[in-house]
Amino acid sequence: MLTGAANPASVSPSQSQGHDLGRFGETWPVIEPDLLSMIAARLKAAQGSGQLDQLNRAFAARAEARVMNPTPVGGLSPATKSRSWTYDPAMTLSADIRDAKGVLIAARGTRINPLDLVTLPRMLLFVDGTSDSQVAWAQAQGDDAHVSIILVAGSPFARMRALKRRVWFDQGGTLTARFGIAHTPVLVRQRGKALQVDEVALPPEAHKDGDRT
């Protein structure tokens, strides 16, 4: 319960009237600049001086450079010893999955393996795009109908033009981290309801073309 407030019914009309308490000190009108007008004026000035066009060109150049040469996936190096392991893509649901009408599709705790429903259409090849030997190895594994070449470094567009086939890039290292890949080249293929991951050590002489270390 609130306390200390006057009862409105007990306030007389004379008490409710405002009083002129006078003026204390000098006063000035509140002047607030129109932010949008200020921004528009600055943009107009920048456009008139050519600065805006220069900024746009610089931004476009940076964006194109990032697309043409994505940031390499960190922490990877050429494989010096071949090794293989199995990756289980199954997951356990942390919450119920329901359709738009609230009907339960899968209960929390259910273990779901995507490979029970679909198959991996092609083998996945992870290679350093700055290494001619790794790219040549990937090219020798098959065409686009059988393998997907995924770069972890280098320009996918430059390799695409040179190879005349589709080339992908593991942006942010999402797939290499998921599969636990530390070295390249790597071949990922389906084995039953799991994926087999093979890091392949190429012959030592194949690394003389400038592979990353």
Side-chain angles (χ1 to χ4, degrees):
M1 181 177 65
L2 296 177
T3 60
N7 185 347
S10 66
V11 178
S12 66
S14 62
Q15 291 176 308
S16 64
Q17 299 297 319
H19 297 280
D20 184 0
L21 301 178
R23 186 178 66 180
F24 297 85
E26 295 297 323
T27 60
W28 293 271
V30 177
I31 301 176
E32 296 182 358
D34 187 330
L35 183 59
L36 293 179
S37 297
M38 182 175 64
I39 293 175
R42 290 187 177 181
L43 286 175
K44 185 175 181 180
Q47 186 174 21
S49 66
Q51 183 182 9
L52 185 60
D53 290 337
Q54 182 180 356
L55 291 174
N56 284 335
R57 287 194 297 269
F59 176 79
R62 287 195 300 270
E64 181 180 1
R66 178 61 62 88
V67 171
M68 296 298 293
N69 293 282
T71 302
V73 178
L76 302 181
S77 61
T80 57
K81 181 173 65 174
S82 296
R83 67 183 185 119
S84 301
W85 66 93
T86 299
Y87 173 79
D88 183 1
M91 63 188 74
T92 301
L93 298 180
S94 59
D96 293 342
I97 296 180
R98 299 179 181 273
D99 63 15
K101 296 182 179 180
V103 178
L104 183 66
I105 298 177
R108 180 169 62 93
T110 301
R111 190 172 185 274
I112 295 179
N113 188 338
L115 296 180
D116 288 333
L117 306 174
V118 298
T119 58
L120 190 66
R122 290 175 293 276
M123 293 186 295
L124 308 180
L125 305 180
F126 293 86
V127 298
D128 182 343
T130 67
S131 165
D132 290 339
S133 61
Q134 292 194 24
V135 173
W137 171 86
Q139 181 81 328
Q141 305 309 308
D143 57 18
D144 281 337
H146 299 92
V147 302
S148 292
I149 298 177
I150 305 172
L151 303 189
V152 298
S155 172
F157 292 94
R159 288 298 185 179
M160 195 179 304
R161 288 193 296 267
L163 300 177
K164 294 180 173 55
R165 62 183 296 175
R166 288 178 295 178
V167 175
W168 311 91
F169 196 93
D170 185 18
Q171 291 281 1
T174 302
L175 293 176
T176 50
R178 178 176 300 175
F179 294 136
I181 295 171
H183 309 285
T184 57
V186 170
L187 187 153
V188 178
R189 51 191 158 184
Q190 184 171 348
R191 286 287 186 262
K193 300 302 181 183
L195 299 177
Q196 180 178 324
V197 184
D198 297 310
E199 288 183 351
V200 180
L202 299 180
E205 61 270 17
H207 295 303
K208 64 184 179 180
D209 59 358
D211 291 4
R212 294 190 304 164
T213 57

